[in-house]
Amino acid sequence: MNSMYFTEEHNLFRESLKDFLKKEVVPHIEEWEKTGNIDKSIWKKFGDMGFLGISYPETYGGLNLDTFYMIILLEELQKINSGGFAAAVWAHVYLAMTHLNAEGDETIKQNYLAPSISGDKLGCLCITEPFGGSDVAGMRTTAVKDDDSYIINGSKTFITNGVYSDYLVVAAKTTPELGNKGISIFVIDRETPGVSATKLDKLGWRASDTGEIAFDNVKIPASNLMGEENKGFSYIVQHFSLERLIMGVNAHARAEYALEYAQQYMAERTAFGKTIDNFQALRHKLSDLYTDMEVCKEFNYSVAYRLNKGQYVVKEATMSKLKSTQMADDVIYHCLQFLGGYGYMEEYPMARLLRDSRLGPIGGGTSEILREILAKIIIDGKEYKPTT
């Protein structure tokens, strides 16, 4: 492991996590992939081990560890070959909980962040809408002030943990006429009257419960507002760098897993009297793919290092997601080809990897949107600055 970024303590943490996943998660993956329902007891086990709180303050039960512990968590989750389960974990820990920690007041942190770290509550982040997609500013969900309450109306879609989570972190327009400057962020209990969810059927990520959520005159206390009213868009943008880096890391990790599996398979599979890793066309292609993966991985580590130092890495994180997710799709496509007919069979890992990986260039901002953001930075000289 790269000693530039990972210490002995990091390596011990990785081994502990791998042992935990092998014992507590891997035996259940096939069932969860078939049912699309992750046993909720696993969250408490994750919480008891401290894995849900590695990036959060000790005050709320977290471990307050550096960014590379997060990297280890993301990487090892990709290597159990369930993009859906991995997404359920990181969507809870680094989408929903990030907002709780950054914008929630003390009461919200005690009522939602602390039980999220312990594994007693599971969260989801609700931004994308049926008519909005990557156009966050175009959202239609509204939150109308009513004395000491807000009334929420609208819908969200493609929400990871959208069906079985205990609470929802929701973006809604409090002042629609202000466009993206009129968005606010709220936390809403799942059991609040007027909240309903429909489970979506997906190509991949089958273990996760991706949902479409409707809010029909949902009344919540004004105290459920997180941060300042109408500052929600800046909060969302503030956290985009983390989400994009996460998806970049996920991509290089699943590509690495695919290459390791393919290399092992090629060393055992024989054709024409020799193992297929001796055929130049295959060994040279694998070398190219491995090089692409390593370049992305090293770049992602460098971005994580800068993020850990408190730098604002919106450009670099955007590049991470754009390039790494493309790379992963390409690597996994060719690794499936290395396995021939077996690559197409469900009992081998490549079919699921291929399906799960395809979400990479779509979720968390499509590749097309990311290219335009980068064009604005590189060509137009636009500067993105952290929220003050």
Side-chain angles (χ1 to χ4, degrees):
M1 189 53 61
N2 194 324
S3 59
M4 283 179 60
Y5 304 110
F6 297 98
T7 65
E8 184 60 30
E9 287 75 16
H10 286 121
N11 296 334
L12 290 171
F13 174 81
R14 187 185 294 273
E15 291 307 313
S16 174
L17 175 60
K18 288 168 69 172
D19 289 344
F20 173 83
L21 293 174
K22 183 178 180 180
K23 177 183 176 183
E24 301 291 350
V25 177
V26 171
H28 308 290
I29 287 297
E30 295 307 317
E31 178 187 356
W32 297 343
E33 285 282 326
K34 289 176 182 177
T35 64
N37 186 1
I38 297 166
D39 189 336
K40 294 201 79 168
S41 66
I42 194 62
W43 304 118
K44 187 61 178 171
K45 293 178 180 179
F46 264 82
D48 289 345
M49 291 294 292
F51 296 140
L52 303 179
I54 59 178
S55 303
Y56 293 99
E58 295 178 23
T59 306
Y60 308 105
L63 300 177
N64 197 31
L65 298 173
D66 68 53
T67 301
F68 284 93
Y69 285 93
M70 176 192 79
I71 299 298
I72 292 168
L73 176 65
L74 297 172
E75 288 180 333
E76 295 308 321
L77 282 171
Q78 290 298 311
K79 295 181 180 182
I80 59 174
N81 199 22
S82 175
F85 178 75
V89 176
W90 62 257
H92 169 57
V93 178
Y94 293 110
L95 298 188
M97 287 169 59
T98 292
H99 282 278
L100 296 177
N101 186 55
E103 289 101 48
D105 62 18
E106 184 61 26
T107 300
I108 286 175
K109 288 177 180 177
Q110 292 291 349
N111 292 340
Y112 295 95
L113 181 60
S116 293
I117 290 170
S118 66
D120 292 300
K121 285 186 178 180
L122 181 69
C124 66
L125 177 63
C126 304
I127 296 177
T128 302
E129 297 191 354
F131 302 101
S134 295
D135 181 13
V136 175
M139 71 173 57
R140 301 182 184 182
T141 300
T142 59
V144 177
K145 192 75 179 290
D146 181 23
D147 294 328
D148 59 350
S149 302
Y150 284 93
I151 308 298
I152 314 289
N153 281 285
S155 60
K156 303 290 181 179
T157 197
F158 309 139
I159 307 304
T160 303
N161 299 337
V163 179
Y164 300 127
S165 58
D166 300 294
Y167 65 87
L168 309 90
V169 175
V170 180
K173 283 191 172 175
T174 37
T175 312
E177 61 270 22
L178 294 180
N180 65 5
K181 297 186 183 301
I183 296 172
S184 301
I185 303 286
F186 303 87
V187 61
I188 303 176
D189 286 311
R190 166 72 56 178
E191 300 305 318
T192 306
V195 177
S196 61
T198 303
K199 197 171 186 178
L200 301 175
D201 190 15
K202 311 183 296 297
L203 173 68
W205 280 21
R206 292 181 177 175
S208 73
D209 54 304
T210 304
E212 183 164 326
I213 302 171
F215 303 95
D216 182 10
N217 290 316
V218 176
K219 188 173 184 178
I220 60 171
S223 58
N224 282 30
L225 171 70
M226 296 204 295
E228 296 181 41
E229 191 175 78
N230 296 330
K231 291 289 185 68
F233 186 74
S234 63
Y235 300 145
I236 293 167
V237 171
Q238 179 87 356
H239 304 314
F240 270 161
S241 292
L242 177 63
E243 181 180 3
R244 290 170 188 163
L245 177 60
I246 285 170
M247 296 195 74
V249 171
N250 289 341
H252 84 232
R254 65 176 170 269
E256 185 171 43
Y257 171 73
L259 286 162
E260 289 171 351
Y261 188 92
Q263 188 174 352
Q264 179 183 352
Y265 175 88
M266 292 164 67
E268 298 171 356
R269 175 72 167 170
T270 59
F272 305 103
K274 56 184 178 181
T275 57
I276 63 174
D277 59 357
N278 284 292
F279 291 99
Q280 186 180 82
L282 301 185
R283 61 195 283 117
H284 286 190
K285 185 62 182 178
L286 189 139
S287 298
D288 284 341
L289 297 172
Y290 195 92
T291 300
D292 292 341
M293 180 275 295
E294 280 285 347
V295 168
C296 286
K297 181 166 71 167
E298 287 298 319
F299 178 74
N300 293 343
Y301 285 170
S302 72
V303 178
Y305 178 83
R306 294 177 62 179
L307 185 67
N308 193 54
K309 295 293 185 182
Q311 297 180 28
Y312 197 55
V313 292
V314 62
K315 180 179 77 171
E316 294 80 5
T318 302
M319 290 175 170
S320 164
K321 181 185 184 300
L322 176 64
K323 199 66 177 177
S324 296
T325 56
Q326 290 175 325
M327 175 277 297
D329 277 4
D330 186 49
V331 165
I332 293 164
Y333 176 91
H334 287 287
C335 284
L336 190 153
Q337 186 74 15
F338 290 151
L339 270 65
Y342 292 108
Y344 204 65
M345 298 297 109
E346 288 291 343
E347 63 184 286
Y348 287 77
M350 292 303 169
R352 182 186 299 163
L353 264 173
L354 189 71
R355 290 195 304 270
D356 287 352
S357 185
R358 191 59 188 85
L359 191 278
I362 299 171
T366 64
S367 294
E368 291 74 18
I369 290 291
L370 300 188
R371 290 189 186 100
E372 180 57 25
I373 291 169
L374 288 170
K376 287 179 179 179
I377 296 171
I378 298 165
I379 300 171
D380 301 337
K382 182 177 177 61
E383 291 186 31
Y384 290 91
K385 297 180 180 180
T387 305
T388 55

